[in-house]
Amino acid sequence: MEIAKELGLSRFKVARLLEQAKATGMVAITLRDVGFVDEALSERLRAHLGLKEAVVVETLGTEAEVRTQVGTAAATLLTETLHEGDVLGLAWGRTLTAMTEQLTALPPVSVVQLTGAVGSDLTESPVEAVRRASLSAGGRARAIFAPLLVENAATAAALRRQSDVAEAMALFERVTVAVVAVGSWDPPISQLRAILNDDDLRELTAQGVQAEVAGILLDDEGRLVGGDFADRCLSISARQLSRVSRVIAVAAGANKARAVRAVARSGLLTALVTDRALAEATLADL
């Protein structure tokens, strides 16, 4: 009807012209539901994991494209639900990187980095994620210019005493909304796991690590493991994260289902933004 009005033709004439164009291959009509939120599946997943919020979106394409689509959904959620004066804590991960690339206009909030850096890729650095988010919010930013994992607890303690690191970590107690990624150890889909030396990997695997979130290691039942390892990390602690009123995990891909269940069982999460594949795989243990 809109086309008919624009061209001054009857809608029947427009319908015939479209049919002819389709028949000759000049016009192809496709429906794309990428980014569409499945409300029913979101509610099923929320109830199953015992969360306060869940957002499940339809995705399509490569792993990188799926991460971007899930990241976009998370960016939309933040844009619509953050309030002026919130303190936003950001961990690290490729989906979180995709999320911050999609942020356009957050309300005035402070942004703090929740973990040190993993790896050397600056495009996926949590420092860069914090910078992008703070530009979108126009608020104060606190970054941690140090690695997530160091050789021993003494080195970690010394770094925590450095003024810039100490100022950032002091904000952990004031975080009102935290956004984290989920790393899986079985199957191995974890940037942190990938940088561990053989001794650390053997020891932590023996302790039953199944998932990690913001450098916090969890077993299949969501119990904390790797206490000595935590002493070597520059990151928010499990105690501090558990006191944040809203903790949003952003994850994609069916192969992270076991890890997502473990993190949900820990009680650290209140919300999850994900894709249909991961949602359905997570629900498969019903």
Side-chain angles (χ1 to χ4, degrees):
M1 187 170 286
E2 295 281 340
I3 298 174
K5 185 182 295 185
E6 183 72 22
L7 299 179
L9 301 173
S10 73
R11 58 191 179 91
F12 303 106
K13 177 70 170 178
V14 170
R16 284 198 300 272
L17 290 173
L18 283 174
E19 286 300 323
Q20 291 173 8
K22 285 166 60 181
T24 59
M26 293 178 62
V27 170
I29 298 174
T30 59
L31 297 176
R32 292 176 61 87
D33 56 2
V34 169
F36 171 77
V37 177
D38 188 324
E39 300 289 354
L41 185 57
S42 298
E43 174 55 25
R44 284 180 60 208
L45 183 65
R46 184 207 62 75
H48 179 61
L49 294 178
L51 302 176
K52 293 181 179 178
E53 304 171 86
V55 177
V56 179
V57 294
E58 300 287 354
T59 59
L60 181 68
T62 64
E63 287 185 9
E65 289 169 333
V66 168
R67 282 196 295 270
T68 296
Q69 292 154 22
V70 173
T72 299
T76 300
L77 180 65
L78 286 183
T79 301
E80 294 176 348
T81 59
L82 282 179
H83 300 94
E84 182 174 354
D86 274 331
V87 177
L88 173 64
L90 294 179
W92 52 273
R94 288 171 293 186
T95 312
L96 264 61
T97 297
M99 179 195 76
T100 58
E101 289 172 347
Q102 303 303 315
L103 291 172
T104 54
L106 292 177
V109 299
S110 297
V111 186
V112 61
Q113 187 177 327
L114 296 181
T115 74
V118 175
S120 58
D121 188 342
L122 294 179
T123 63
E124 296 182 354
S125 164
V127 175
E128 178 63 12
V130 166
R131 185 190 70 83
R132 278 196 296 261
S134 63
L135 286 175
S136 176
R140 188 178 183 186
R142 285 291 184 189
I144 298 176
F145 296 100
L148 166 61
L149 177 66
V150 295
E151 187 174 352
N152 53 58
T155 301
L159 285 170
R160 290 189 196 103
R161 290 193 295 270
Q162 290 190 2
S163 59
D164 57 339
V165 175
E167 288 175 4
M169 297 185 78
L171 278 178
F172 290 170
E173 300 289 348
R174 293 176 49 201
V175 171
T176 55
V177 180
V179 186
V180 299
V182 176
S184 167
W185 280 47
D186 182 20
I189 317 163
S190 162
Q191 290 172 287
L192 174 59
R193 187 184 187 280
I195 67 167
L196 295 181
N197 62 44
D198 291 341
D199 289 341
D200 282 338
L201 188 56
R202 263 193 306 272
E203 181 179 345
L204 293 171
T205 300
Q207 292 180 41
V209 178
Q210 175 54 49
E212 104 247 347
V213 56
I216 299 165
L217 304 182
L218 304 163
D219 70 9
D220 217 20
E221 296 303 315
R223 295 172 297 219
L224 292 174
V225 290
D228 293 341
F229 181 84
D231 293 337
R232 296 165 50 198
C233 291
L234 296 177
S235 62
I236 191 169
S237 69
R239 178 191 63 80
Q240 289 169 320
L241 190 61
S242 70
R243 295 171 65 178
V244 177
S245 58
R246 193 167 176 231
V247 180
I248 305 168
V250 184
N255 45 13
K256 282 194 174 182
R258 188 176 173 189
V260 164
R261 286 194 292 265
V263 178
R265 287 168 182 150
S266 74
L268 294 173
L269 296 186
T270 67
L272 174 64
V273 181
T274 190
D275 63 327
R276 172 177 289 278
L278 179 49
E280 291 182 339
T282 302
L283 288 165
D285 70 340
L286 281 168

